[in-house]
């Protein structure tokens, strides 16, 4: 697999995505954006982009913070993420800039793109869809559900797949129902898969504190990945 | 494919299931019970059993009413179903009798059984799990969610998959959340897949009144079937 750092810009901020390309390839490939959690373009997000490349797609770990900045600890992660949670227009601008950079890659078929993301990256994926982007599907893994201001949202053309732990304290079942109603209102073709007894961060092998609501769950991870692949096969 | 009517009994009532066996088979096969909707062991349920046989399983369309009775109209269907909705112990007894008949078939590996059902049959599938039956998984398609009396429920060992239209008026999103909490309480490994903009009866090509909340949806049907197959591959 080839890793390639790709610079792109939004409102004067230079961001550095990390693309991962499959070893053998012929013709233009579908491209899949990967939205990392609050740690930014961390090795975990690049690992997900590698998994996309193993499936035959161009993976692209996006950089939401600029300069591929990483927080050194929990407080710094929060400080990096918070301004984007509070300015969803800015968030949408940055994720759309990453989408444009992916589509501009010579190896990518610009008509066949998708986005997947975990936690904060799941919110970024949903916001890409809400911004009306021409992306075939978006997939949220244990994402955050808070709706952006309605004025920022357009009719959703992307197919939406939400993969979620029913016992996730960061976005509980009632918030899941509210998200469903919001997505209906935006005209989306959406699915939400809830996993019983599963909490936040179930894709992250480093998460291990179920009593505090964040823990890896290999079974849920495998089911969710399979469902993502099913949707990719449907639309990409 | 071979169709074979199988008589079995519960509390003196003789029931007539319809088994469908794959054309070519070697060794004992997993068996899948099919719970029909309120129409009983209707051609639609037998068609589902045929689909199970096409997947390589022994399909078994169960008879919940005895004598393979079919209602001639809506009123008769309701009259047949209602006593079972009102006596969940009786319902559990009849579906467990069907399960025993399936396991007793010489072509079936009694350790590898599952149940799928639509509408009322989805409730029957959930109740088979709630009764503590030794079945590997149960799958509800646009099922009914009302919990039975707690005294009838045992810890659930079956994996549970609920495939549901988010806009189904027969079991709304809040009832879905309540079902999730009930299944957590029974210790189940469960999943619930919600489909946005999809109403009741989405597996039934004969249903076509979306404004009244029941309509076929080919896309949802295909996604739901795929998810059922994913689970069958995981556990059978």
């Amino acid at each position: 697999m080839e890793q390639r750092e790709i610079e792109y810009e939004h409102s004067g901020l230079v961001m550095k995505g990390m693309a991962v390309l499959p070893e053998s390839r012929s013709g233009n490939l579908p491209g899949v954006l990967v939205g990392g959690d609050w740690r930014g373009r961390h090795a975990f997000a690049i690992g997900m982009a590698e998994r996309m490349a193993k499936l035959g797609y161009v993976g692209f770990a996006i950089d939401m913070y600029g300069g591929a900045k990483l927080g050194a600890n929990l407080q710094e992660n929060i400080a990096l993420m918070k301004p984007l949670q509070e300015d969803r227009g800015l968030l949408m601008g940055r994720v759309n800039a990453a989408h444009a950079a992916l589509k501009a890659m010579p190896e990518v078929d610009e008509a066949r793109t998708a986005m997947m993301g975990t936690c904060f990256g799941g919110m970024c994926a949903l916001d890409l869809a809400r911004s009306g982007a021409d992306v075939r599907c978006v997939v949220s893994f244990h994402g955050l559900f808070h709706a952006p201001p309605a004025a920022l949202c357009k009719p959703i053309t992307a197919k939406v797949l939400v993969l979620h732990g029913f016992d996730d304290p960061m976005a509980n079942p009632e918030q899941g129902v509210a998200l469903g109603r919001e997505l209906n209102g935006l005209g989306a073709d959406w699915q939400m898969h809830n996993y019983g007894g599963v909490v936040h961060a179930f894709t992250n092998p480093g998460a291990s504190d179920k009593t505090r609501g964040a823990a890896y769950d290999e079974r849920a991870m495998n089911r969710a990945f399979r469902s993502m692949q099913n949707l990719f096969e449907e639309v990409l």
Side-chain angles (χ1 to χ4, degrees), chain A:
Chain A
M1 289 188 289
E2 179 196 339
Q3 284 201 3
R4 190 189 303 167
E5 190 163 78
I6 293 182
E7 287 197 0
Y8 56 100
E9 207 196 283
H10 178 255
S11 286
L13 181 72
V14 176
M15 291 166 286
K16 296 179 176 180
M18 183 62 84
V20 186
L21 294 101
E23 230 154 291
S24 68
R25 49 186 193 262
S26 62
N28 285 6
L29 299 174
V32 181
L33 293 175
V34 173
D37 55 38
W38 60 4
R39 293 173 294 174
R41 205 204 73 184
H42 186 273
F44 182 72
I46 297 173
M48 282 287 182
E50 283 171 357
R51 292 187 67 152
M52 298 304 114
K54 280 185 192 138
L55 296 175
Y57 308 121
V58 175
F60 186 107
I62 68 180
D63 171 19
M64 290 299 291
Y65 300 150
K69 208 176 292 168
L70 298 176
N73 52 46
L74 190 74
Q75 284 66 35
E76 288 188 24
N77 290 337
I78 293 173
L80 286 165
M81 178 177 65
K82 212 175 167 198
L84 293 166
Q85 283 190 309
E86 289 173 354
D87 183 349
R88 301 289 280 277
L90 182 61
L91 188 159
M92 286 179 179
R94 289 195 187 166
V95 69
N96 272 284
H99 189 219
L102 172 72
K103 290 197 290 183
M105 287 181 67
E107 293 87 353
V108 170
D109 177 353
E110 65 169 3
R112 290 187 293 156
T113 61
M115 177 165 178
M116 64 84 77
T118 59
C119 185
F120 172 60
M123 173 188 266
C124 294
L126 292 173
D127 272 8
L128 182 65
R130 288 166 170 140
S131 74
D134 183 21
V135 58
R136 292 218 176 153
C137 69
V138 301
V139 184
S140 162
F141 290 78
H142 48 83
L144 307 176
F145 293 165
H146 324 76
L152 294 175
C153 297
K154 302 208 169 74
I156 293 180
T157 59
K159 295 183 191 303
V160 176
L161 175 61
V162 178
L163 303 163
H164 207 75
F166 185 76
D167 301 278
D168 185 335
M170 311 274 287
N172 67 29
E174 283 73 18
Q175 288 171 303
V177 172
L179 174 64
R181 296 204 164 109
E182 184 213 344
L183 294 173
N184 267 356
L186 296 171
D189 167 16
W190 64 269
Q191 304 172 60
M192 184 181 302
H193 298 188
N194 282 299
Y195 305 109
V198 173
V199 294
H200 192 64
F202 65 82
T203 64
N204 181 356
S208 59
D209 195 347
K210 194 157 180 175
T211 56
R212 289 181 60 192
Y216 180 59
D217 189 309
E218 189 181 8
R219 185 166 62 194
M221 168 70 179
N222 288 339
R223 289 174 177 170
F225 242 72
R226 177 76 188 256
S227 290
M228 179 189 70
Q229 284 177 252
N230 289 349
L231 183 61
F232 284 175
E233 286 160 20
E234 184 184 317
V235 305
L236 285 182

